[in-house]
Amino acid sequence: MSTTAATLEFSTLGVIGPGRMGSALAESLSLQGYPIHAIAGRSEACPKARALAQRVHARIARAQALAETCSLIFIATPDDAIAPLADTIEWSAGSAVVHLSGATDVQALQAAQHCQAHIGGFHPLQSISQAAGTATTFQHCTITIEAEHEALSKDLATLAHALGSHVNILPPNTRMRYHAAANHASALLVALMTDMARLWESWGSSEKDMMDALLPLMQNTLSAARERGVTQALTGPLARGDVGTLEGHLAALEQLDPALARRYAVRHQPLLTQAPDDQRQQIAALINAYAAVNTHTS
Ligand SMILES: NC(=O)c1ccc[n+]([C@@H]2O[C@H](COP(=O)([O-])OP(=O)(O)OC[C@H]3O[C@@H](n4cnc5c(N)ncnc54)[C@H](OP(=O)(O)O)[C@@H]3O)[C@@H](O)[C@H]2O)c1
């Protein structure tokens, strides 16, 4: 361990699941001076596990052997495999078992708890699309930590800080709401861009044209939200009370595809409280009427 790496209570690290996140985390931690003791894939012959173990100078092990020799074990399998995997292992009392999923309850690791191990969650709010980590992979991102055991919570925060990340502490029973918020920032942002591209393509422009033109606008809105708060970032016809412009948008979208008009209206609903007092009722009636239209394609 490098001289700058803070000491951990659970200091022998192991990673089960040598995929995108498991690899990026193992490599990034190793680069920050936290050696990885062992890597486990589905079997000792797993090529991805072997390659990762070689890259981080770790042993290759079966999951059971890893659980017996490591004190902090990250489970980096797909979400659906976390509980079934945890159920098959005889965990060591006093060790720590942590998954990396945003959507999975920490209780998926209850088999480890039954063996007197401590359990937790360590969810990087970061998108990892390739199995390699660098010193900057997790820099400036947020890692959400959930662990009742104080020393484990402290160790997870230490590791997150070592990776250059901010720490978010998640209270119990809030994981699905938390992950739904994160999904707004990724998948639902893509949903918005999909509709924006559809509109630009409707007059023969390309998705690239759309991105070139609208990305600066989006970036400006994001900067305004960051600097002045989400509410203050709102501009456009709803904020101005321009009922006629909103009517025009909705009619044009309806003509192209009623599902587009409905989605446009539904997306305006959380903003209705920000319409000017004099026009709020009229705008709400317009938006809610389009939002209520039942289409199976929206
Ligand atoms: N990637 C991201 O952007 C991201 C972001 C935040 C959180 N996460 C979380 O990180 C975790 C891993 O996601 P990922 O994207 O890294 O998935 P992934 O690329 O599919 O990697 C999963 C790895 O787990 C292995 N695996 C599956 N079942 C196993 C078992 N029973 N024993 C040992 N290894 C097993 C897979 O092996 P095979 O290749 O042989 O199937 C694969 O190497 C998930 O909980 C996910 O929610 C991911």
Side-chain angles (χ1 to χ4, degrees), residues 103-242:
T104 307
D105 203 287
V106 166
Q107 280 307 312
L109 301 170
Q110 62 182 344
Q113 210 168 27
H114 291 152
C115 298
Q116 312 302 320
H118 307 291
I119 60 173
F122 187 85
H123 176 237
L125 274 161
Q126 178 65 295
S127 170
I128 307 288
S129 54
Q130 56 181 20
T134 68
T136 57
T137 301
F138 298 98
Q139 228 161 50
H140 308 306
C141 83
T142 289
I143 295 184
T144 293
I145 289 169
E146 185 182 343
E148 275 183 29
H149 188 258
E150 205 177 319
L152 174 57
S153 180
K154 200 163 155 251
D155 276 5
L156 295 178
T158 298
L159 292 176
H161 287 138
L163 293 170
S165 300
H166 308 286
V167 169
N168 173 45
I169 305 284
L170 197 62
N173 305 319
T174 52
R175 199 157 269 274
M176 276 303 166
R177 275 177 277 157
Y178 153 79
H179 198 249
N183 202 38
H184 272 86
S186 53
L188 295 188
L189 191 58
V190 175
L192 278 182
M193 290 188 284
T194 304
D195 281 357
M196 284 148 59
R198 169 97 188 275
L199 290 172
W200 275 62
E201 283 161 2
S202 74
W203 61 80
S205 282
S206 67
E207 179 185 304
K208 182 181 177 308
D209 294 335
M210 181 281 288
M211 287 306 290
D212 287 348
L214 298 188
L215 198 56
L217 181 55
M218 292 164 73
Q219 279 163 338
N220 209 32
T221 306
L222 290 174
S223 301
R226 169 143 221 146
E227 281 160 27
R228 300 197 298 279
V230 171
T231 307
Q232 294 304 315
L234 184 68
T235 61
L238 183 139
R240 289 191 299 269
D242 276 339

Side-chain angles (χ1 to χ4, degrees), residues 6-66:
T7 312
L8 300 174
E9 173 104 12
F10 300 92
S11 57
T12 316
L13 309 186
V15 175
I16 304 177
R20 284 163 289 201
M21 183 53 86
S23 299
L25 184 65
E27 289 189 57
S28 300
L29 285 175
S30 171
L31 283 169
Q32 297 306 329
Y34 290 95
I36 306 299
H37 179 73
I39 301 288
R42 287 179 194 277
S43 73
E44 282 177 290
C46 168
K48 277 198 244 172
R50 288 193 161 272
L52 176 59
Q54 204 168 22
R55 290 203 297 279
V56 298
H57 310 292
R59 290 176 200 175
I60 182 95
R62 285 174 192 273
Q64 180 60 52
L66 184 149

Side-chain angles (χ1 to χ4, degrees), residues 228-289:
R228 300 197 298 279
V230 171
T231 307
Q232 294 304 315
L234 184 68
T235 61
L238 183 139
R240 289 191 299 269
D242 276 339
V243 185
T245 304
L246 278 172
E247 273 172 347
H249 288 177
L250 287 161
L253 295 177
E254 173 92 353
Q255 202 179 13
L256 186 64
D257 179 353
L260 273 176
R262 178 170 183 265
R263 287 201 291 273
Y264 193 77
V266 167
R267 286 166 186 159
H268 272 85
Q269 283 181 314
L271 305 175
L272 288 174
T273 53
Q274 291 183 68
D277 290 347
D278 288 352
Q279 290 86 18
R280 187 174 307 129
Q281 230 180 342
Q282 210 184 341
I283 291 177
L286 174 71
I287 292 291
N288 289 336

Side-chain angles (χ1 to χ4, degrees), residues 72-94:
L72 173 50
I73 299 112
F74 289 104
I75 298 188
T77 64
D79 295 358
D80 289 346
I82 293 170
L85 173 78
D87 290 348
T88 62
I89 292 177
E90 189 65 35
W91 300 97
S92 301

